[in-house]
Amino acid sequence: MAGSFVLVLHTHLPYVLNHGKWPHGSDWLTEAAAECYIPLLNECHALLADGISPNITFSMTPVLVEQLADAAFARMFTDYLDERAEAADRDQRDLAADPHLSWLAGWWARWYRARREDFTVRYASDLIGAFRELFERGAIGLQTAGATHGYFPLLGRDESINAQLAGAVASHRRHFGAHPRGVWMPECAYRGCYEWRSPVPNPYSPVGTRKGVEQLLAEHSLEYTVVDSHLTLGGQARGIWGPRFRAVREMVESGQRFLPLDDTRSVHDLYRICSTGRPESGTSVIFTRDTDTTMRVWSGTYGYPGEGNYLEFHKKYHNSGHRYWAVTDSKADLGAKRTYHPDWVDEKVRGHARHFATIVEQEMWKFQASTGRHGTLAAPFDTELFGHWWFEGPRFIGHLLREIAASPIIHARSAAAELDFKDPGMIIQVPEGSWGDGGDHRVWMNDTVNWTWPRIYETEERFIRLLRSRTGDDTREERILRQLARELMLLQASDWQFLMTTGSAVDYATERFQGHYRNADFLAGLVERSRDKALVPLSDHEELARIEALDRIFPDLSLDWFDDDKTSLCAQRA
């Protein structure tokens, strides 16, 4: 074999339970379950039935896992599937004048009822259990991610990153019965160890050297993570990334980007990253996205999802929201879209899978021929691409993995299995950055969202101060502090800045952010007033109960997740 294909599907949604339904809210969760998670589970089982181990690595964010495991989800999901099927039934009658559209409506009704049977019968209304069963069979890999998808490089304190990781490990162990070996850094965002200065006004910024993210991963026995290609290859700082982040600017100006400098560095090798120059301080193995190759899969303009016969995502029937049209042309106006024919796409999916498998083979063959080394082609994607944005995506993955299983050149492995097979030898430094637009922090830090960071930093400081001054003897105070920790972690979710920046759900994201900030402010004030022996009115008790019912994520949350014995500044430990 010339190389390995490592498919990583990052499976994430923000906390939407109890926070609206449509167009923004719990429908995001139910749509993803129906269109992505169940079809992908079905493909995994179909592969196993053919004697093929899928070896997909599912990166499951704890905030999503907790929602899928919540008792309310099963009821909500079956109701959603029933509603969608019944809406299609109505469309079938309303569109009777057009035989093909009427037939398509019936096709959708059958599709949703089939997903209902998958959920309630095949998977016993337990999607987390379905993923765990495949993992325990050795058919898939599972890894974790930041607990609420907090954006690591911009969080104001290492205690916050520590809690994101400690919470991730605890949730993963509880739901999947094993310690996760790998972790997805939210937005693939990385920051090394240096004397950090807040990029926005922040009177609470700690003074001293902040730990590199890889050191914090190592403290939680998380062995590997994923970065974008420009980090491994040492892409130059761009946009706000260079001027605002001192360590990156100095690294670029001095030319000291790597230890050791090696012109043979490739996205097809595994490396250990270490930002301190002292490997004993903690390292993490990185899998690097092969951006040039994977663009064929995720790009709607240049990639496979732009195929004219595939289902058009954006055009929906006004009465129901169902989709009855094909892409036709990725640049065509919505009014020019022709109707969708499900029976026209299977050969296209098979052809695209064969084409992509051939490209992977060629890349790995060329890499081995030029270096003499076994290559790794890492292909990380957002799971929601497959089924939601690209309806035919799960079938593409099924056909792709069949093509790879038949290949004499490449082999599909989970990330953990590839790490066991190919232990990296070289230690390198990488710049700060993310897989977002521009490769830096601009999606999460710009004029539209900069107002969010001072509120996060203020809440971090206030919580840590209360946490460090507690006695631990007051059970009611401990209860309030645990809920305050939940609100802080939900406030830190990178989703809010992303939704504001992209304009996809500005009002919803703003209200969610402000809501968690208000809740945190109330809870911190409740602790402070209680400590001052002030009378706590009944309305405050009622508000506490309301917030607990609203944001009931992480039932096992421990204040030890923020333990500063594990998060002290590098300078204090050195």
Side-chain angles (χ1 to χ4, degrees):
M1 293 286 180
S4 300
F5 178 70
V6 178
L7 176 61
V8 182
L9 298 184
H10 182 51
T11 314
H12 167 67
L13 281 174
Y15 191 72
V16 293
L17 288 182
N18 310 313
H19 289 279
K21 185 176 185 294
W22 185 90
H24 311 300
S26 61
D27 274 4
W28 284 346
L29 184 63
T30 49
E31 283 174 356
E35 298 170 5
C36 307
Y37 311 153
I38 288 178
L40 286 166
L41 285 167
N42 289 349
E43 289 293 337
C44 287
H45 283 284
L47 286 162
L48 287 170
D50 290 342
I52 300 170
S53 182
N55 291 327
I56 302 169
T57 300
F58 285 93
S59 168
M60 306 286 288
T61 63
V63 66
L64 173 63
V65 170
E66 296 290 343
Q67 291 178 92
L68 294 177
D70 193 296
F73 170 74
R75 298 189 299 271
M76 177 193 309
F77 188 41
T78 52
D79 287 347
Y80 167 82
L81 294 170
D82 289 341
E83 290 169 4
R84 301 308 292 150
E86 290 163 7
D89 288 338
R90 292 191 296 272
D91 285 355
Q92 190 171 20
R93 295 189 295 270
D94 296 343
L95 298 169
D98 187 317
H100 184 65
L101 286 178
S102 182
W103 178 86
L104 267 180
W107 181 84
W108 275 118
R110 293 188 296 276
W111 190 91
Y112 278 103
R113 291 187 173 108
R115 300 295 79 73
R116 191 187 200 282
E117 183 173 1
D118 287 334
F119 179 64
T120 58
V121 179
R122 187 175 196 177
Y123 302 123
S125 300
D126 182 7
L127 293 184
I128 296 304
F131 281 106
R132 178 170 177 165
E133 188 267 338
L134 286 171
F135 172 69
E136 290 177 341
R137 290 176 64 178
I140 64 172
L142 286 175
Q143 65 184 45
T144 190
T148 60
H149 223 249
Y151 194 83
F152 290 174
L154 298 182
L155 295 181
R157 306 188 67 99
D158 285 351
E159 290 94 334
S160 290
I161 305 175
N162 190 73
Q164 290 279 335
L165 295 172
V169 170
S171 177
H172 195 92
R173 291 178 64 90
R174 179 159 54 89
H175 289 288
F176 299 118
H179 187 99
R181 295 183 61 186
V183 62
W184 183 281
M185 297 181 297
E187 317 299 354
C188 295
Y190 170 79
R191 169 186 55 73
C193 176
Y194 61 84
E195 190 174 335
W196 189 81
R197 289 290 182 270
S198 174
V200 298
N202 175 15
Y204 313 111
S205 180
V207 177
T209 302
R210 294 279 299 276
K211 291 182 181 179
V213 172
E214 81 281 3
Q215 294 174 273
L216 293 163
L217 301 188
E219 288 178 356
H220 292 275
S221 300
L222 295 164
E223 301 173 54
Y224 69 85
T225 190
V226 176
V227 299
D228 213 343
S229 57
H230 65 280
L231 267 68
T232 296
L233 299 178
Q236 292 287 341
R238 292 169 288 177
I240 64 171
W241 180 17
R244 292 199 183 183
F245 294 92
R246 176 180 171 186
V248 178
R249 185 175 67 250
E250 291 178 351
M251 187 182 294
V252 171
E253 289 173 352
S254 68
Q256 183 189 356
R257 298 188 219 160
F258 307 103
L259 288 178
L261 184 63
D262 183 348
D263 292 335
T264 65
R265 191 175 299 102
S266 168
V267 298
H268 299 318
D269 276 323
L270 304 185
Y271 301 101
R272 294 187 182 276
I273 52 172
C274 175
S275 57
T276 65
R278 296 179 292 108
E280 67 276 8
S281 69
T283 64
S284 182
V285 175
I286 51 171
F287 286 80
T288 306
R289 178 169 73 153
D290 182 339
T291 306
D292 293 340
T293 301
T294 57
M295 183 180 292
R296 292 173 174 84
V297 177
W298 60 258
S299 173
T301 303
Y302 306 104
Y304 307 132
E307 157 62 38
N309 287 317
Y310 289 160
L311 186 68
E312 169 63 47
F313 174 80
H314 294 96
K315 186 172 182 178
K316 300 176 183 180
Y317 184 48
H318 62 275
N319 283 351
S320 64
H322 282 308
R323 293 171 285 168
Y324 296 121
W325 294 272
V327 170
T328 308
D329 185 315
S330 61
K331 298 179 181 178
D333 183 83
L334 292 182
K337 304 292 184 177
R338 53 177 168 75
T339 53
Y340 180 63
H341 289 259
D343 54 330
W344 289 4
V345 301
D346 195 56
E347 278 306 310
K348 294 292 183 181
V349 175
R350 291 175 184 271
H352 286 151
R354 282 194 297 271
H355 182 256
F356 191 69
T358 300
I359 290 172
V360 176
E361 286 179 329
Q362 291 171 345
E363 285 295 314
M364 293 296 89
W365 182 265
K366 287 189 295 184
F367 180 78
Q368 186 183 63
S370 62
T371 67
R373 300 194 296 273
H374 182 279
T376 302
L377 197 149
F381 301 99
D382 283 329
T383 302
E384 286 68 35
L385 168 64
F386 301 97
H388 181 62
W389 298 105
W390 179 19
F391 181 70
E392 296 80 9
R395 278 180 282 170
F396 168 83
I397 287 180
H399 288 308
L400 172 63
L401 293 175
R402 285 180 174 83
E403 294 287 339
I404 291 176
S407 172
I409 299 173
I410 52 176
H411 184 82
R413 284 194 176 91
S414 69
E418 181 71 353
L419 182 58
D420 290 339
F421 174 78
K422 182 182 175 181
D423 187 47
M426 184 182 291
I427 298 174
I428 65 172
Q429 286 185 334
V430 299
E432 184 166 332
S434 74
W435 78 342
D437 180 40
D440 50 47
H441 304 318
R442 71 184 67 178
V443 173
W444 297 274
M445 179 182 294
N446 54 68
D447 290 342
T448 299
V449 301
N450 280 348
W451 64 271
T452 65
W453 291 105
R455 288 166 172 79
I456 291 174
Y457 298 149
E458 171 200 336
T459 306
E460 284 179 322
E461 174 65 20
R462 199 173 178 189
F463 171 70
I464 294 298
R465 179 173 50 79
L466 291 172
L467 192 65
R468 289 179 174 173
S469 59
R470 83 193 204 278
T471 65
D473 299 327
D474 187 332
T475 56
R476 183 172 176 277
E477 180 178 291
E478 295 289 291
R479 169 189 166 189
I480 299 169
L481 286 172
R482 282 194 294 272
Q483 190 60 38
L484 175 54
R486 292 185 182 96
E487 297 300 325
L488 170 59
M489 295 176 78
L490 291 169
L491 183 72
Q492 293 168 337
S494 67
D495 307 273
W496 314 136
Q497 288 91 359
F498 178 84
L499 292 169
M500 293 178 209
T501 297
T502 59
S504 52
V506 176
D507 291 344
Y508 180 79
T510 301
E511 175 52 36
R512 288 296 310 280
F513 183 90
Q514 294 283 38
H516 293 303
Y517 177 70
R518 287 193 300 268
N519 290 346
D521 179 63
F522 166 78
L523 293 167
L526 187 56
V527 172
E528 291 161 353
R529 291 192 298 276
S530 297
R531 289 185 180 181
D532 290 340
K533 308 302 181 183
L535 181 66
V536 178
L538 177 61
S539 60
D540 281 1
H541 294 281
E542 293 172 340
E543 179 65 2
L544 171 60
R546 184 195 69 82
I547 295 172
E548 288 177 322
L550 187 69
D551 298 328
R552 56 177 180 264
I553 194 171
F554 304 133
D556 61 342
L557 184 143
S558 169
L559 296 175
D560 289 342
W561 294 355
F562 296 85
D563 185 353
D564 58 279
D565 283 342
K566 295 179 180 177
T567 57
S568 58
L569 298 173
C570 294
Q572 294 173 352
R573 178 169 289 188

